[in-house]
Amino acid sequence: MTTVDEIPGWYEGWDVVERDSSVDSLKIDARFRLMRDNGKQEVTCHVVEVDAPRRLSWNEYSDKGSPVRVSFALEPDGVGNIILTHSKKIVAA
């Protein structure tokens, strides 16, 4: 679906992705941070689901609220198009 370094391009708000040099792909247990506003806001992300090329989910953690599950799903619509569904929901801490 994407790589860790391309994630900021999926959102208007996130400017930078920071990752350990050992994290080069989005796989279960991969961790990275998303930052915006010159580091004034950041979330730590933990990949919890990968079913390439259909699904990708991670949990976002910040000091400003409850953890949030971010999910992307790609599905064919039956007439040659791909539908992207993006969802967010609060998860148990």
Side-chain angles (χ1 to χ4, degrees):
M1 295 177 85
T2 191
T3 65
V4 175
D5 294 331
E6 293 172 341
I7 290 173
W10 287 41
Y11 295 97
E12 289 181 14
W14 296 114
D15 303 322
V16 177
V17 64
E18 189 176 88
R19 62 180 173 84
D20 184 286
S21 62
S22 66
V23 176
D24 59 351
S25 65
L26 290 164
K27 56 188 173 194
I28 299 293
D29 287 332
R31 295 175 190 271
F32 56 93
R33 289 189 314 153
L34 295 172
M35 293 175 279
R36 70 172 122 219
D37 299 329
N38 293 319
K40 292 178 185 170
Q41 184 179 3
E42 67 179 60
V43 292
T44 301
C45 303
H46 176 211
V47 177
V48 295
E49 179 183 23
V50 177
D51 181 13
R54 298 186 196 323
R55 287 192 62 77
L56 171 63
S57 299
W58 63 73
N59 290 345
E60 289 183 356
Y61 303 92
S62 77
D63 59 358
K64 301 198 188 305
S66 299
V68 175
R69 169 83 41 95
V70 176
S71 297
F72 299 90
L74 296 173
E75 297 181 43
D77 69 355
V79 293
N81 299 309
I82 301 293
I83 305 295
L84 170 65
T85 303
H86 173 240
S87 62
K88 291 177 116 178
K89 69 178 184 176
I90 295 174
V91 294

